[in-house]
């Protein structure tokens, strides 16, 4: 009996004194690798410093596993406080269903329109003039990460572009290395293919295929060259039998593999391993062929909640995620670029500086998540998982299926 009276008295005094009660807010995301965990901890730390409490809802298995879980919780009436999606169209149906919280007040109060760049990141969060998400970083798929040790062990120079990398594969194999590390989850194989498309086919071809859904181009000679390169890539990756992307990055970190085509979230792993860009590893934007970056990356969405305290805490979190201090702290550990142009990036390493430079020149392409529906992307993921796993599937047969998918893509 006595304890209850004390607790009630305390609650009353807190409420009366107006002191903000620590509000628990569950945040779901798929950041479980060493580098990802180090980065997301910066958000948790900043949010907890506001007197609220970040309840971490990490989901293992990558985005393809996490997103269906997030969506079914929101549509099933068990929403979290905030959740990660990639920039683009993944949360389109949730917003259209009226399940997501409108952040326009926060966005206007904090002038997001003036600080977020490229502006397209905020446009993608905006439906019928209302803002439904906070973009938090710019990640680019367009990177080749190379192990300086692997090439030293193989007695060949570190390549400066894709063709030199392919030419170095026999020497790497002779030295017992896996030339190309690829995780076998489907999104990683299609991601590698798309990077080859931008590097070898070029920006326009890439946009013709994915933005214009031009099946003729997808079936054409330019894309045939990309399938030839993908054929080289799958041969170089034949002995790469890991699943997760960060396991493949670890093969590069340890020098067991020569290189990996992966988004710059890989940087977080090199940092956790205390490896230095330029000294221990080499990074080639656009595979050293075409210095282009894609505007992939992440935004946070906030499901509608009935609890007013949690709704207030959602606003605090959205604001914290975009604050200059948190933007720098998070992105430096994540390996991504801040979405604000007004922050100090002097602490960025050589690779991030290359990315910032390309971004400043505007040499960017949209991500496939920004151009295609999740369903069309999943079909392409499945095709490339099969192509990389089954050497008897010819590049010509794979290209035919690819063109068919593009013909019906949304
Ligand atoms: C991407 C996400 C990145 C990254 C990666 C691997 O979808 O945008 O932030 O961490 O998945 O998990």
């Amino acid at each position: 009996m006595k304890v209850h009276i004390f607790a009630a008295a305390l609650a009353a005094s807190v409420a009366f004194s107006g002191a903000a009660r620590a509000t628990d807010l569950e945040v779901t995301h798929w950041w479980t690798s060493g580098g990802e965990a180090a980065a997301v901890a910066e958000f948790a730390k900043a949010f907890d410093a506001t007197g609220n409490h970040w309840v971490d809802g990490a989901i293992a298995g990558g985005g393809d596993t996490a997103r269906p879980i997030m969506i079914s919780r929101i549509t099933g009436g068990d929403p979290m406080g905030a959740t990660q999606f990639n920039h683009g169209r993944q949360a389109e149906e949730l917003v259209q269903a009226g399940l997501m919280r409108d952040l326009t007040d926060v966005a206007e109060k904090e002038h997001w329109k003036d600080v977020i760049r490229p502006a397209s990141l905020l446009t993608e969060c905006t439906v019928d003039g209302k803002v439904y998400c906070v973009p938090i970083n710019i990640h680019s798929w367009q990177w080749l990460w190379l192990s300086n040790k692997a090439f030293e062990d193989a007695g060949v120079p570190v390549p400066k572009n894709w063709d030199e990398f392919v030419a170095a594969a026999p020497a790497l194999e002779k030295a017992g290395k896996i030339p190309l590390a690829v995780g076998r989850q489907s999104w990683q194989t299609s991601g590698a293919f798309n990077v080859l498309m931008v590097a070898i086919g070029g920006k326009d071809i890439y946009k013709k295929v994915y933005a214009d859904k031009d099946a003729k181009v997808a079936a054409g000679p330019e894309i045939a060259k990309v399938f030839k390169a993908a054929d080289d890539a799958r041969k170089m990756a034949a002995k790469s039998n890991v699943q997760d992307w960060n396991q493949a990055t670890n093969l590069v970190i340890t020098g067991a593999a020569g290189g990996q085509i992966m988004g710059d979230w890989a940087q977080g792993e090199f940092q956790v391993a205390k490896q230095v860009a330029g000294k221990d590893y080499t990074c080639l934007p656009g595979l050293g062929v075409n210095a282009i970056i894609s505007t992939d990356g992440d935004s946070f969405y906030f499901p509608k909640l009935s609890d007013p305290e949690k709704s207030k805490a959602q606003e605090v979190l959205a604001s914290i995620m975009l604050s200059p201090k948190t933007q720098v702290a998070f992105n430096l550990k994540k390996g991504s670029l801040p979405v604000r142009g007004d922050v100090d990036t002097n602490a960025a390493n050589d690779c991030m500086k290359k990315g910032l430079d390309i971004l400043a020149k505007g040499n960017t392409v949209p991500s496939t998540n920004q151009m295609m529906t999740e369903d069309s992307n999943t079909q392409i993921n499945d095709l490339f998982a099969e192509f990389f796993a089954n050497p008897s599937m010819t590049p010509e047969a794979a290209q035919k299926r690819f063109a068919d998918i593009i013909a019906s893509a949304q």
Side-chain angles (χ1 to χ4, degrees):
M1 187 57 191
K2 218 184 295 141
V3 176
H4 293 315
I5 296 169
F6 174 71
L10 173 67
S13 72
V14 167
F16 177 73
S17 66
R21 253 194 325 224
T23 302
D24 285 356
L25 202 67
E26 181 197 6
V27 184
T28 53
H29 56 86
W30 59 86
W31 291 327
T32 54
S33 78
E36 292 171 331
V40 74
E42 292 295 334
F43 280 151
K45 198 167 64 183
F47 186 59
D48 288 356
T50 67
N52 291 293
H53 180 229
W54 173 287
V55 177
D56 198 75
I59 300 171
D64 291 356
T65 305
R67 286 189 294 276
I69 295 170
M70 296 161 173
I71 291 168
S72 65
R73 281 194 53 189
I74 296 168
T75 51
D78 173 26
M80 60 301 291
T83 189
Q84 173 195 9
F85 282 105
N86 291 124
H87 299 323
R89 304 175 59 183
Q90 291 171 353
E92 205 167 61
E93 288 165 18
L94 292 171
V95 171
Q96 282 156 359
L99 293 166
M100 306 310 272
R101 154 99 200 251
D102 171 4
L103 297 167
T104 309
D105 297 352
V106 185
E108 284 174 355
K109 200 172 67 191
E110 299 188 352
H111 313 291
W112 289 4
K113 236 202 204 73
D114 308 330
V115 293
I116 293 176
R117 55 101 178 91
S120 58
L121 296 180
L122 189 59
T123 314
E124 273 147 29
C125 284
T126 308
V127 179
D128 304 332
K130 296 207 173 90
V131 174
Y132 287 94
C133 67
V134 52
I136 52 120
N137 65 0
I138 300 162
H139 260 312
S140 171
W141 249 108
Q142 315 299 325
W143 291 90
L144 178 58
W145 310 96
L146 298 165
S147 162
N148 294 0
K149 178 178 183 311
F151 291 94
E152 197 185 317
D153 293 352
V156 289
V158 175
K160 291 185 285 311
N161 57 48
W162 177 253
D163 288 345
E164 288 184 13
F165 182 35
V166 175
L172 287 167
E173 270 162 355
K174 205 152 156 268
K177 311 287 181 187
I178 299 168
L180 182 66
V182 174
R184 295 292 162 168
Q185 288 164 343
S186 61
W187 65 275
Q188 296 175 54
T189 51
S190 62
F193 177 79
N194 293 333
V195 174
L196 288 165
M197 192 194 297
V198 173
I200 293 163
K203 258 177 153 168
D204 300 340
I205 289 283
Y206 170 77
K207 285 196 252 184
K208 274 210 182 85
V209 169
Y210 286 124
D212 309 342
K213 321 284 183 298
D214 188 329
K216 226 158 130 275
V217 171
E222 295 299 334
I223 297 296
K225 286 190 204 133
V226 183
F227 271 92
K228 163 73 184 67
D231 188 35
D232 292 336
R234 71 174 171 172
K235 287 180 182 133
M236 290 163 74
K239 293 205 176 84
S240 176
N241 52 20
V242 294
Q243 282 303 314
D244 294 339
W245 68 271
N246 49 309
Q247 294 172 306
T249 308
N250 201 47
L251 292 174
V252 177
I253 287 170
T254 57
Q260 179 190 26
I261 300 175
M262 186 46 66
D264 48 12
W265 42 88
Q267 287 249 66
E269 305 313 299
F270 288 106
Q271 277 179 48
V272 168
K274 302 210 175 339
Q275 294 210 333
V276 178
K279 177 175 155 291
D280 302 303
Y281 67 99
T282 298
C283 54
L284 299 179
L287 308 184
V289 180
N290 226 337
I292 291 175
I293 63 166
S294 56
T295 51
D296 283 90
D298 310 286
S299 289
F300 275 81
Y301 290 74
F302 300 79
K304 282 182 183 161
L305 301 176
S306 53
D307 177 333
E309 291 297 326
K310 287 189 188 292
S311 297
K312 245 195 257 127
Q314 286 180 320
E315 291 177 17
V316 174
L317 180 57
S319 162
I320 279 285
M321 285 179 156
L322 209 57
S323 71
K325 190 162 166 277
T326 316
Q327 271 285 300
V328 171
F330 169 82
N331 282 295
L332 281 181
K333 290 202 173 157
K334 190 71 175 64
S336 41
L337 308 180
V339 295
R340 304 183 63 122
D342 59 353
V343 292
D344 171 2
T345 52
N346 283 333
N349 72 15
D350 293 358
C351 300
M352 277 179 85
K353 286 200 171 104
K354 287 182 187 175
L356 286 164
D357 187 45
I358 297 168
L359 181 68
K361 290 193 182 101
N363 223 354
T364 64
V365 288
S367 74
T368 53
N369 293 320
Q370 289 160 323
M371 296 183 282
M372 305 245 287
T373 60
E374 179 92 320
D375 177 54
S376 298
N377 281 321
T378 303
Q379 291 178 48
I380 292 185
N381 290 355
D382 296 344
L383 168 63
F384 285 100
E386 198 182 331
F387 181 70
F388 271 73
N390 174 7
S392 66
M393 179 193 258
T394 64
E396 293 71 25
Q399 184 173 4
K400 171 131 190 14
R401 281 189 40 196
F402 179 69
D404 293 346
I405 294 170
I406 296 300
S408 60
Q410 304 291 314

